[in-house]
Amino acid sequence: MSRIAGPSQQGLFHGLFTRIIYALTKRKVGRVVVMPVKIAAHHLKLLWGYGQMEQSLLSSHLVDAALKDLAQLRVATLVGCPF
């Protein structure tokens, strides 16, 4: 049994918000939950900020999408991020 409550054990708003973020993550990445989202889901304000950052990154059209993906891959390689 895990020590941290999952989306079904959280409050109504927090659990619903967490499920929405999980669904959006699954659509974007292809897996149900990646570790940073799973960790951020336990703190509502942190999850909200994480969602805002991702949304602003996706909605910005100042830089080409392929260049954004390449920059994210390069930064992940530099910091040793496994995903």
Side-chain angles (χ1 to χ4, degrees):
M1 177 179 224
S2 66
R3 298 185 299 155
I4 300 174
S8 62
Q9 299 170 342
Q10 297 169 343
L12 178 65
F13 176 72
H14 191 175
L16 180 64
F17 186 63
T18 302
R19 288 174 195 261
I20 291 170
I21 296 297
Y22 281 4
L24 292 173
T25 303
K26 183 178 180 182
R27 185 185 330 164
K28 181 180 176 188
V29 179
R31 291 187 300 185
V32 176
V33 178
V34 293
M35 191 55 70
V37 175
K38 197 173 188 179
I39 292 170
H42 299 296
H43 192 273
L44 184 60
K45 290 182 182 179
L46 184 63
L47 183 63
W48 179 260
Y50 190 78
Q52 291 292 317
M53 181 199 66
E54 287 291 329
Q55 183 62 33
S56 65
L57 180 67
L58 290 173
S59 64
S60 173
H61 299 293
L62 297 175
V63 178
D64 188 35
L67 186 59
K68 285 184 203 177
D69 292 339
L70 186 61
Q72 284 182 340
L73 181 62
R74 179 66 177 149
V75 169
T77 304
L78 286 174
V79 298
C81 182
F83 47 87

